[in-house]
Amino acid sequence: EGEVKGAYRMKSGRKQEDRLMKVAVLIPSKSHEKLRALIRDFCRRLGQESMWLEKESSIVEFIRPE
């Protein structure tokens, strides 16, 4: 979805403001735990206290021109 601005309250109480890359992915519900593990790994590698994961239920339909 692109670059956005975000803010987070650190464990220390300090407010952290960042430029973030907001990404949307479509996965089957059976893959949610794999996605959580991937995000947890990114969190560790980047030294983050936490990362945001927002789940929504959606119906996706591909419409063809014919």
Side-chain angles (χ1 to χ4, degrees):
E1 293 185 31
E3 192 173 289
V4 297
K5 291 182 181 180
Y8 178 77
R9 183 73 55 196
M10 305 292 285
K11 287 180 184 178
S12 66
R14 182 176 59 88
K15 180 180 177 182
Q16 177 69 36
E17 294 183 10
D18 292 310
R19 290 187 345 215
L20 312 164
M21 183 60 64
K22 186 174 182 181
V23 178
V25 295
L26 178 66
I27 61 170
S29 58
K30 66 182 180 181
S31 298
H32 285 185
E33 284 307 313
K34 289 180 182 178
L35 178 60
R36 288 173 59 97
L38 179 65
I39 294 170
R40 195 173 287 115
D41 184 51
F42 285 145
C43 195
R44 274 193 296 269
R45 289 175 185 228
L46 297 172
Q48 300 291 309
E49 285 187 0
S50 63
M51 293 183 115
W52 180 281
L53 171 61
E54 183 175 337
K55 294 191 272 184
E56 296 181 18
S57 295
S58 299
I59 296 173
V60 175
E61 183 178 358
F62 292 96
I63 308 297
R64 299 197 182 276
E66 64 273 349

